[in-house]
Amino acid sequence: PGRSKMAACSGRGRDGSHSLDKSITLPPDEIFRNLKNAKRFAIDIGGSLTKLAYYSTVEHKVAKVRSFDHSGKDGSSELLYEISVQEEITARLHFIKFENTYIETCLDFIKDHLVNTETKVIKATGCGAHKFKDLLEEKLGLKVDKEDEMSCLIKGCNFVLKNIPHEAFVYVKHADPEFRFQTMQPDVFPYLLVSIGAGVCIVKVESEDKFQRVGGSSIGGGTFWGLGALLTKTKRFDELLQLASRGQHTNVDMLVQDSYGGAYESLGLTGDLIASSFGKSATADKEFSKEDMAKSLLHMISNDIGQLACLYTKLHDLKRVYFGGFFIRGHPVTMHAITYSINFFTKGEVQALFLRHEGYLGAIGAFLKGAEEDNPNQYSWGENYAGSSGLMSTSPDIYPLQRARSGTFDMLEMDRLERQLVSLPLLLDTSSYVPDTVDLAQDAMAREYWLSCFEEALDGVVKRAVASQPDLPDAVERAEKFRRKYLHKLQTLRHQPLTLPGEDGTVAHRKFLQSRYCILVEFTCLNTRSIDIKQKENDIALKCFQRVINSLNALGWEERQFALVKGLLAGNVFDWGAKAVSDVLESVPEFGFEEAKRKLQDRPWLVDSYNEWLERLKGPPHKCALFFVDNSGLDIILGVFPFVRELLSRGTEVVLACNSGPALNDVTYNESQIVTERIAVMDPIIQLALKEERLLLVQTGSSSPCLDLSRLDKGLANLVRERKTDLVIIEGMGRAIHTNYYAALRCESLKLAVIKNSWLAQRLGGKLFSVVFKYEAPPK
């Protein structure tokens, strides 16, 4: 295609969407990513915006480990496993919106790039599916299959509520933060969906396939646009919203205090309540500003919609009401007016919930209808942090300082995950669980510190990525692309804390790591060298295993329990993610397990529940322990396995949960299998436990040094139920400090870590290498 078509698809509209303006802001391959591998398309055409959904396959290289065929029986020094680089193909969903004004140009562009598409019939929904049917068939050469707008809407809404963490949020004006996001609910039904487009459609949703349109109104977004255009002579929807954001509705609206004077308090009303929308314009002999009229109009329509929603929640006895549709567009004035109305008429019993990807619901539903043979609901999906764009202002060119405070999501990309993810059944309250210990959006000092840390570490990440691919001529170029993209995201976060791609309203240490990992994968920046280093560390640790076990066996019971805990903590010192540790390892290469023990803080520890843990061990053994492990090498081999061995000896079954994919020097599921096999050769207790399936290895479904207990492998969750797990052990700074420090469980738990960051240690009231050993019994 000619450059004119490419340029036409790269502009950005005033609402933050990718309009087909003639000015170039992004190269087309960054807007329509992976288009050449597109397999299927769907489209949702509304009154002013078209939402495109497409499915593509994405290829990237991954490093795999495979065990060598060992004939030795003594844990010899031969390498544990071989490393191979393989091509992996994953499925990805892309959703993007653009203005209808340039729909013909955009369809030309899409047609030119559907080289490998399998689509013969395109699913289409929305009013434009009828209006533009002939145009779609002519331009794309495809048959258009029109789908019911409401069923697509519901299908899309159910999909995002089940697959995107913190999809729904409440809006609280003047709060910090204004956006308060809801955790993913195990059961999203029933709920009321109020879809605000040109008009208003109200749907009661009871299950995946059972829903009913229970009401609606002709007074909606089209009313605001139409009356607004007549009143202000402003023809663009988003310009009307901007006028409203600058207006003062009390100049136009008649308030209760205007009508009643001082007598309104006896009626139980507040003076600033609107008694009559536009009431002052009937009597005041003056001109009213466009801004004030737009604000009054927005309040009038939003209040009306809010009251209507309240009546239907009461009629159908529903407590959850979601508002969607591009009328809202994340605009604070609109959300506040609807929220105020809901709170007023229900006396706070019902919350107004908004959706991050409100405008994509129909497109997602239409796509899912066209993909039913692939059964997309049997998979879990995760937002891709390299491709999704963040929380943006509706008009960043007009109000750049409000970008973090209101907005829409320009692009959404979702990866199909290999396994289904679910919540840990042992969470005390899934609905209130928040993995992150600190919200960096609210803690400016902590945010600045961690941003600086990640920026300073960037050169090292790039260097390791290049060094691990010495035979690939473009390794440097790809690593530099990673550097630029990730640095841009970090710099954006410094000034706009809510703009992390796929953001859910909280900014946490975990999000920085997730974003970095996704971008590394995007540019295929493998780090096979890290696997090689982990292998050598595992080999060193295996040579010491028998000696450590012999020394433990020589101790009395109580001494041994303390030595096991101290060994766990010493092993956790070896963390590549901690600069203090990497500095020690580089300056003292022979730094080992005993040296790590000497580095530990003396008791009493920073957080010290050891005495309570020891008393618990004097009681009956636990039935089954779930152990979320941390690092390779000395950590898992000399720290975790002796501790696990003791639990097995007491009669406790053990489930070792390891990362599915690589992160720093964390042990992965595949690596843990190989390490466990080698230990079993040396240790009859481990060998017998494996044979009798009292020791089981599982994967978490994660590739992060942090841990989200609401997004775990379904197989792990099933195993926890089957084995009646009554003890959860979470090890490491990422899993037990940055996340899950306050996680409440239905069973006993151990959260332990060595603080290997000076700044964090000081914040917690300790010093470098301070110890957190937190034993908690479940609430009675």
Side-chain angles (χ1 to χ4, degrees):
R3 181 170 175 80
S4 60
K5 288 182 183 178
M6 296 171 70
C9 285
S10 60
R12 178 166 289 175
R14 297 177 68 88
D15 70 334
S17 67
H18 289 284
S19 69
L20 303 188
D21 198 318
K22 298 296 181 182
S23 61
I24 297 176
T25 58
L26 281 175
D29 60 349
E30 286 192 29
I31 299 174
F32 296 99
R33 281 158 42 89
N34 307 304
L35 195 63
K36 65 180 181 180
N37 297 322
K39 305 297 181 186
R40 192 177 294 111
F41 282 75
I43 201 162
D44 174 18
I45 310 177
S48 60
L49 292 172
T50 293
K51 286 75 68 178
L52 174 71
Y54 64 98
Y55 158 89
S56 70
T57 54
V58 182
E59 295 182 12
H60 56 267
K61 291 182 175 63
V62 293
K64 298 281 188 180
V65 299
R66 186 180 68 180
S67 177
F68 280 111
D69 182 17
H70 293 291
S71 56
K73 302 291 184 182
D74 58 352
S76 63
S77 61
E78 61 187 87
L79 294 177
L80 280 176
Y81 40 75
E82 58 181 330
I83 306 166
S84 63
V85 176
Q86 302 174 15
E87 289 285 346
E88 188 172 85
I89 298 176
T90 57
R92 183 169 295 170
L93 296 179
H94 306 72
F95 303 96
I96 189 168
K97 62 181 183 287
F98 46 86
E99 291 184 6
N100 287 355
T101 309
Y102 305 96
I103 190 168
E104 290 196 47
T105 308
C106 186
L107 292 179
D108 280 338
F109 179 85
I110 294 171
K111 178 188 176 183
D112 291 336
H113 289 76
L114 300 186
V115 179
N116 300 314
T117 183
E118 298 170 359
T119 302
K120 303 302 178 188
V121 177
I122 185 170
K123 294 287 185 180
T125 190
C127 59
H130 302 270
K131 181 178 180 180
F132 295 109
K133 178 179 180 294
D134 294 340
L135 178 64
L136 286 169
E137 292 186 338
E138 177 187 343
K139 290 285 186 181
L140 299 180
L142 302 172
K143 181 183 176 183
V144 171
D145 188 1
K146 298 188 295 296
E147 289 289 344
D148 177 69
E149 190 172 354
M150 188 191 303
S151 63
C152 287
L153 192 70
I154 301 305
K155 205 171 191 70
C157 189
N158 292 339
F159 184 82
V160 296
L161 289 174
K162 289 181 177 182
N163 286 282
I164 302 182
H166 305 94
E167 170 65 25
F169 63 92
V170 297
Y171 179 78
V172 185
K173 188 178 180 181
H174 300 312
D176 188 12
E178 293 170 290
F179 298 83
R180 297 184 180 175
F181 290 79
Q182 308 292 297
T183 54
M184 202 183 310
Q185 301 292 322
D187 186 7
V188 302
F189 307 110
Y191 65 85
L192 193 74
L193 177 64
V194 180
S195 180
I196 313 171
V200 179
C201 177
I202 301 176
V203 186
K204 177 185 178 182
V205 184
E206 297 181 72
S207 69
E208 194 72 50
D209 301 309
K210 187 178 180 182
F211 55 88
Q212 176 187 4
R213 186 184 188 279
V214 294
S217 173
S218 61
I219 302 173
T223 313
F224 172 70
W225 198 351
L227 282 178
L230 291 172
L231 290 168
T232 69
K233 309 304 180 186
T234 300
K235 296 295 185 181
R236 292 180 62 86
F237 188 88
D238 286 288
E239 287 180 6
L240 273 173
L241 287 177
Q242 289 302 331
L243 287 174
S245 69
R246 300 195 296 269
Q248 178 54 261
H249 76 97
T250 56
N251 292 333
V252 181
D253 293 339
M254 183 179 292
L255 307 182
V256 168
Q257 64 190 17
D258 298 323
S259 301
Y260 286 90
Y264 57 83
E265 291 182 354
S266 62
L267 302 174
L269 300 174
T270 60
D272 59 355
L273 197 67
I274 298 174
S276 174
S277 295
F278 287 90
K280 288 180 181 176
S281 62
T283 57
D285 186 18
K286 66 174 185 177
E287 292 291 323
F288 295 94
S289 73
K290 294 180 179 181
E291 289 82 359
D292 293 347
M293 289 189 291
K295 183 68 164 285
S296 176
L297 182 61
L298 186 60
H299 270 288
M300 181 181 78
I301 292 170
S302 298
N303 285 334
D304 183 65
I305 293 170
Q307 184 175 18
L308 197 60
C310 288
L311 293 172
Y312 280 104
T313 59
K314 289 183 178 180
L315 182 63
H316 295 279
D317 192 26
L318 296 171
K319 297 298 182 183
R320 279 181 288 190
V321 54
Y322 296 103
F323 291 87
F326 267 124
F327 168 70
I328 298 170
R329 304 196 189 193
H331 196 274
V333 176
T334 310
M335 293 189 294
H336 173 65
I338 290 174
T339 299
Y340 183 90
S341 179
I342 290 283
N343 288 339
F344 180 82
F345 289 111
T346 68
K347 295 181 172 58
E349 293 180 2
V350 176
Q351 279 188 322
L353 290 160
F354 303 96
L355 300 169
R356 292 201 289 135
H357 300 103
E358 56 184 19
Y360 291 126
L361 303 184
I364 292 172
F367 173 83
L368 293 173
K369 282 179 173 286
E372 286 176 346
E373 65 269 25
D374 294 337
N375 195 9
N377 283 318
Q378 75 178 350
Y379 301 100
S380 285
W381 298 78
E383 194 166 355
N384 182 278
Y385 287 84
S388 287
S389 51
L391 193 55
M392 304 287 285
S393 164
T394 52
S395 294
D397 52 327
I398 298 177
Y399 286 118
L401 296 179
Q402 289 191 356
R403 290 175 64 122
R405 299 172 65 83
S406 64
T408 183
F409 288 78
D410 295 342
M411 289 185 288
L412 168 63
E413 289 188 8
M414 300 180 71
D415 287 330
R416 192 179 78 186
L417 306 179
E418 187 177 332
R419 304 167 77 86
Q420 279 189 285
L421 300 183
V422 298
S423 292
L424 180 69
L426 298 172
L427 283 171
L428 185 63
D429 182 8
T430 305
S431 64
S432 64
Y433 168 72
V434 177
D436 305 305
T437 304
V438 177
D439 180 2
L440 303 184
Q442 299 183 65
D443 192 331
M445 183 182 296
R447 180 172 71 249
E448 178 58 34
Y449 172 78
W450 288 115
L451 280 168
S452 297
C453 279
F454 279 95
E455 286 178 355
E456 290 169 8
L458 197 49
D459 285 343
V461 175
V462 170
K463 183 179 178 181
R464 288 192 294 272
V466 173
S468 69
Q469 304 176 76
D471 300 327
L472 299 178
D474 64 340
V476 173
E477 180 185 354
R478 284 185 285 104
E480 285 302 318
K481 285 182 178 179
F482 155 75
R483 180 206 299 274
R484 286 196 298 272
K485 186 162 187 175
Y486 189 57
L487 185 60
H488 172 72
K489 293 189 183 302
L490 291 176
Q491 290 171 341
T492 302
L493 274 167
R494 175 168 276 111
H495 305 291
Q496 302 162 29
L498 289 180
T499 57
L500 183 62
E503 190 46 63
D504 58 22
T506 62
V507 178
H509 192 272
R510 175 173 57 99
K511 304 295 177 63
F512 296 143
L513 293 168
Q514 287 176 325
S515 182
R516 184 172 72 181
Y517 175 76
C518 286
I519 300 171
L520 280 168
V521 171
E522 178 186 1
F523 294 111
T524 321
C525 294
L526 295 176
N527 194 355
T528 54
R529 181 169 173 267
S530 68
I531 301 176
D532 187 52
I533 295 172
K534 283 197 287 184
Q535 179 171 221
K536 292 174 182 175
E537 291 185 357
N538 285 332
D539 189 58
I540 292 169
L542 283 168
K543 293 176 185 177
C544 304
F545 178 77
Q546 198 63 64
R547 175 165 51 83
V548 169
I549 295 300
N550 291 339
S551 65
L552 288 167
N553 287 339
L555 300 174
W557 182 84
E558 194 159 319
E559 285 181 292
R560 188 167 69 250
Q561 303 316 308
F562 183 69
L564 285 165
V565 167
K566 198 167 181 181
L568 253 184
L569 295 167
N572 192 243
V573 168
F574 294 86
D575 187 346
W576 297 354
K579 189 175 186 299
V581 175
S582 61
D583 288 346
V584 170
L585 294 176
E586 287 179 13
S587 60
V588 188
E590 66 277 9
F591 184 82
F593 194 55
E594 295 304 319
E595 288 80 359
K597 289 182 183 178
R598 289 191 284 272
K599 283 277 186 183
L600 295 177
Q601 174 192 18
D602 293 329
R603 291 193 70 198
W605 294 324
L606 185 63
V607 177
D608 195 335
S609 304
Y610 177 74
N611 292 341
E612 290 86 342
W613 170 246
L614 185 65
E615 284 302 309
R616 172 60 185 87
L617 289 179
K618 294 175 182 177
H622 297 90
K623 179 170 180 53
C624 179
L626 171 62
F627 199 137
F628 291 99
V629 300
D630 195 357
N631 304 311
S632 288
L634 276 67
D635 193 350
I636 187 170
I637 294 170
L638 302 187
V640 171
F641 265 101
F643 193 90
V644 165
R645 188 177 179 274
E646 183 78 8
L647 289 174
L648 291 167
S649 299
R650 283 171 53 83
T652 300
E653 297 175 351
V654 178
V655 177
L656 280 184
C658 306
N659 268 11
S660 299
L664 301 175
N665 65 324
D666 288 359
V667 62
T668 64
Y669 171 67
N670 288 339
E671 291 165 351
S672 71
Q673 290 179 307
I674 297 168
V675 166
T676 305
E677 288 172 5
R678 290 294 298 276
I679 290 176
V681 169
M682 296 185 281
D683 192 281
I685 293 177
I686 300 296
Q687 188 177 68
L688 183 62
L690 283 173
K691 182 179 179 181
E692 295 177 347
E693 295 187 343
R694 290 185 297 109
L695 173 59
L696 298 164
L697 306 179
V698 296
Q699 53 186 310
T700 61
S702 170
S703 298
S704 171
C706 297
L707 179 65
D708 183 350
L709 296 177
S710 67
R711 302 274 287 174
L712 291 175
D713 186 275
K714 188 176 182 180
L716 184 157
N718 290 339
L719 192 60
V720 163
R721 289 192 188 93
E722 292 168 7
R723 298 296 172 116
K724 295 182 171 55
T725 300
D726 53 356
L727 173 64
V728 172
I729 304 170
I730 305 177
E731 179 204 12
M733 275 198 353
R735 293 169 177 79
I737 305 297
H738 292 307
T739 54
N740 297 304
Y741 188 76
Y742 298 115
L745 301 173
R746 298 177 184 273
C747 66
E748 295 173 58
S749 65
L750 267 183
K751 300 168 187 175
L752 56 105
V754 178
I755 308 300
K756 299 165 291 258
N757 177 280
S758 298
W759 181 87
L760 180 60
Q762 290 174 5
R763 258 216 159 190
L764 296 174
K767 298 178 180 179
L768 195 63
F769 299 115
S770 289
V771 169
V772 170
F773 187 90
K774 190 179 184 185
Y775 168 69
E776 294 175 303
K780 294 180 180 179

